[in-house]
Amino acid sequence: MQDTIVRILSEIKNNPELLLTATEATDIVNDVGLDSLQMINFILRIEDEFEIEFDFDHFAYEDFQSIGDFMGFITATQTAS
């Protein structure tokens, strides 16, 4: 899951270095630096890749604190589906 998230982030940021440097502790907002449009594209790509649909009523900034936190959110969303 982490490799897929990092690959998508790398493609959206057009930054192949992320493939080598992003870890579970990487902050998606502050370290990767997604702007609002990139964030929307990222969410849509994650939903497509993992065949899930996020419930934005339960979506919080804390879910983006790190790639690890986001993986937890994806897993919880998959479990709830």
Side-chain angles (χ1 to χ4, degrees):
M1 180 183 292
Q2 179 176 331
D3 291 343
T4 301
I5 293 170
V6 171
R7 177 182 48 80
I8 291 170
L9 287 170
S10 173
E11 290 171 0
I12 289 174
K13 289 298 292 183
N14 194 24
N15 181 358
E17 187 176 319
L18 284 172
L19 296 170
L20 303 173
T21 60
T23 68
E24 192 171 315
T26 299
D27 185 312
I28 294 172
V29 175
N30 295 314
D31 294 338
V32 177
L34 295 179
D35 64 26
S36 57
L37 182 57
Q38 290 170 332
M39 182 65 74
I40 292 168
N41 287 330
F42 174 66
I43 296 297
L44 293 174
R45 294 271 311 271
I46 292 293
E47 286 183 327
D48 286 345
E49 186 73 37
F50 292 100
E51 299 181 354
I52 56 176
E53 187 171 322
F54 292 127
D55 180 355
F56 289 97
D57 289 338
H58 298 99
F59 198 74
Y61 177 78
E62 291 77 25
D63 297 321
F64 284 103
Q65 289 293 320
S66 69
I67 290 174
D69 291 334
F70 192 58
M71 289 191 302
F73 181 75
I74 291 171
T75 300
T77 300
Q78 289 173 320
T79 302
S81 298

